[in-house]
Amino acid sequence: MTAVGAPDLASPPGPAAHRRFYGWRIVTVLAVTETVSWGVLYYAFAVFQVPMRAELGFSTAQTAGAFSLAVLMTGLAAVPVGRWLDRHGGRGLMTVGSVAAVLLVVAWSRVQTVLGLYAVFAGIGLVSAAVLYEPAFAVVVRWFAAARVRALLAVTVVAGFASTIFLPASEALIRAYGWRDALLVLAGVLAVTTVLPHALVLRRDPADLGLQPDGVSPTQAASSAPAAPARVTGRLPHTARWALRDPLFGWLTLAFAANTLAVIVVAVHLLPFLREHGHGGTFAAVATGALGALSVTGRLAVTGAIRHFPTASVTAVAFAVQAVAVVVLLAAGSSAAGAVAFVLLFGLGFGVGTIARPALLADAFGTASYATLSALGGVAFTAAKTVGPFAAGVALTTSGSWTPVLLGLLAVTAVASAAVARAGHLLASARPAQTGRG
């Protein structure tokens, strides 16, 4: 029996068949499930920690420590999760992960002790590795080649509004029902919007429906040039272990780890920087919050540019613009105009790495070991998220000045731009040598 959404393979698929390509159904589902999963498992914590501390007497450090533990557990689980995804696909993992996430949110609503809170958030960290962006991207990159960036954009643009939706929604639920019952409501929302969609819609590979990536039929694929870059077609048979020895993987990891470090430092420290430089609390909060909205604009702009220029080149420019933004903050951060200019310039590159990294990684090494390679690179990103804010805080405390922090941020953004440009050069130079070898 033909699977739902699959084109009729008895005749070549025309434009209507491509519009019905099952991969877009998967993208639609993941856009919704990622929005809800990020909103409940990640962003809602910022709202719930306040009433939790008030009722249970926990300190700020104790509640923050639970969240940090969740981030750490997500990083530790990334590599085994990546290997599972490469071998078995995301359907079963994301379904089971969603069920576990619902149960853990229910357990969170019943927490009475610090130990119980830490146990729950250790579990939330583990299931986050199974349901957030990394497994979703691993599914998407298998279903798309030519339209890969557009598909990734569709997921991340929608999910980019997770904080916009779930921060005020969580606050409203807490006011209406109290924090414990509010968590039960969110657990119900998570259950309804993620478990069955993951179970019923996700598929491992287009071949399961007799298709190639982007909805091309086997007949069309055999009679046309491969849509994937030549490097991919020539080097797919190699393993993740081989890819780890490729300098291209090292440059990509360095570029996006540096970008991750820059983004997390700005996200954590921009608001206090603005306050200490004479800006009001409302201005500082709005300016910092605008980074999230601008990240969506930046993703859209970069996706449009990628239609005309190589992904690595566009990404390098976006990261270079962030370096320029830091120079502006160094020179004029005390003025409102300087702060606004920084937010506009830095914010446009705030979410670029989210779509550029999976696209470049899949372009360079194919999709057979994508999830494993992404997870291995993710170890560096977890380290950056952990070390970045702390290192910036130490630099500020020891020097008594923001200048060392901003100079470090300038260096990191410059490294990110240069490294992704180098990766793009390696990827481009490899293609001619691989032509005809697929």
Side-chain angles (χ1 to χ4, degrees):
M1 181 173 67
T2 304
V4 175
D8 182 3
L9 298 180
S11 58
H18 285 288
R19 288 195 297 270
R20 295 197 306 269
F21 176 47
Y22 195 86
W24 291 112
R25 185 173 297 185
I26 290 175
V27 165
T28 301
V29 164
L30 288 174
V32 173
T33 62
E34 288 302 300
T35 301
V36 178
S37 296
W38 276 102
V40 176
L41 300 178
Y42 190 87
Y43 290 111
F45 176 83
V47 180
F48 279 91
Q49 64 175 329
V50 177
M52 283 173 52
R53 289 200 301 264
E55 178 184 323
L56 300 174
F58 296 166
S59 68
T60 301
Q62 287 172 324
T63 54
F67 188 79
S68 296
L69 176 62
V71 173
L72 177 61
M73 295 304 293
T74 300
L76 293 175
V79 174
V81 164
R83 288 174 176 161
W84 173 275
L85 287 165
D86 284 332
R87 292 170 183 163
H88 307 288
R91 184 183 187 182
L93 181 72
M94 296 189 78
T95 301
V96 173
S98 295
V99 172
V102 171
L103 296 177
L104 283 163
V105 174
V106 172
W108 181 9
S109 74
R110 307 267 70 84
V111 160
Q112 298 288 348
T113 65
V114 171
L115 182 61
L117 179 67
Y118 276 55
V120 167
F121 271 81
I124 287 176
L126 290 174
V127 300
S128 293
V131 300
L132 296 184
Y133 273 154
E134 289 303 322
F137 291 164
V139 172
V140 170
V141 298
R142 280 185 175 268
W143 280 83
F144 295 90
R148 183 174 290 147
V149 172
R150 190 154 54 95
L152 292 168
L153 176 71
V155 174
T156 58
V157 163
V158 178
F161 290 98
S163 61
T164 306
I165 296 169
F166 280 89
L167 290 178
S170 297
E171 181 65 36
L173 287 170
I174 290 170
R175 287 199 305 268
Y177 303 110
W179 71 270
R180 293 186 184 276
D181 287 344
L183 281 172
L184 292 178
V185 172
L186 290 182
V189 171
L190 190 66
V192 170
T193 58
T194 65
V195 176
L196 284 180
H198 285 157
L200 298 178
V201 178
L202 297 190
R203 297 290 185 275
R204 179 184 180 186
D205 196 275
D208 295 343
L209 302 182
L211 295 171
Q212 300 291 325
D214 299 314
V216 179
S217 70
T219 302
Q220 288 177 312
S223 62
S224 62
R231 182 185 184 96
V232 174
T233 58
R235 304 181 79 163
L236 265 178
H238 295 280
T239 63
R241 184 175 297 178
W242 164 84
L244 288 173
R245 296 195 295 268
D246 192 321
L248 176 56
F249 181 80
W251 285 112
L252 287 173
T253 300
L254 174 62
F256 291 105
N259 175 253
T260 298
L261 192 151
V263 166
I264 194 68
V265 167
V266 169
V268 171
H269 291 292
L270 178 60
L271 193 149
F273 171 89
L274 294 175
R275 291 297 302 273
E276 290 184 25
H277 283 75
H279 300 289
T282 301
F283 177 88
V286 171
T288 304
L291 291 170
L294 285 166
S295 72
V296 174
T297 304
R299 287 169 185 163
L300 291 169
V302 165
T303 302
I306 286 171
R307 296 178 182 177
H308 307 286
F309 304 99
T311 303
S313 299
V314 174
T315 306
V317 170
F319 291 170
V321 169
Q322 289 186 315
V324 172
V326 178
V327 173
V328 171
L329 198 63
L330 272 165
S334 296
S335 69
V340 170
F342 169 80
V343 169
L344 289 173
L345 293 172
F346 198 92
L348 289 174
F350 208 68
V352 168
T354 306
I355 57 173
R357 177 177 172 255
L360 285 169
L361 193 62
D363 282 352
F365 301 107
T367 59
S369 298
Y370 167 85
T372 300
L373 288 173
S374 181
L376 290 168
V379 173
F381 310 145
T382 300
K385 289 179 182 178
T386 304
V387 172
F390 175 75
V394 170
L396 177 63
T397 301
T398 55
S399 68
S401 168
W402 284 95
T403 300
V405 177
L406 295 182
L407 289 175
L409 192 61
L410 176 60
V412 167
T413 51
V415 166
S417 179
V420 78
R422 176 58 179 164
H425 174 74
L426 290 175
L427 182 55
S429 63
R431 286 174 177 167
Q434 296 295 329
T435 301
R437 288 182 57 187

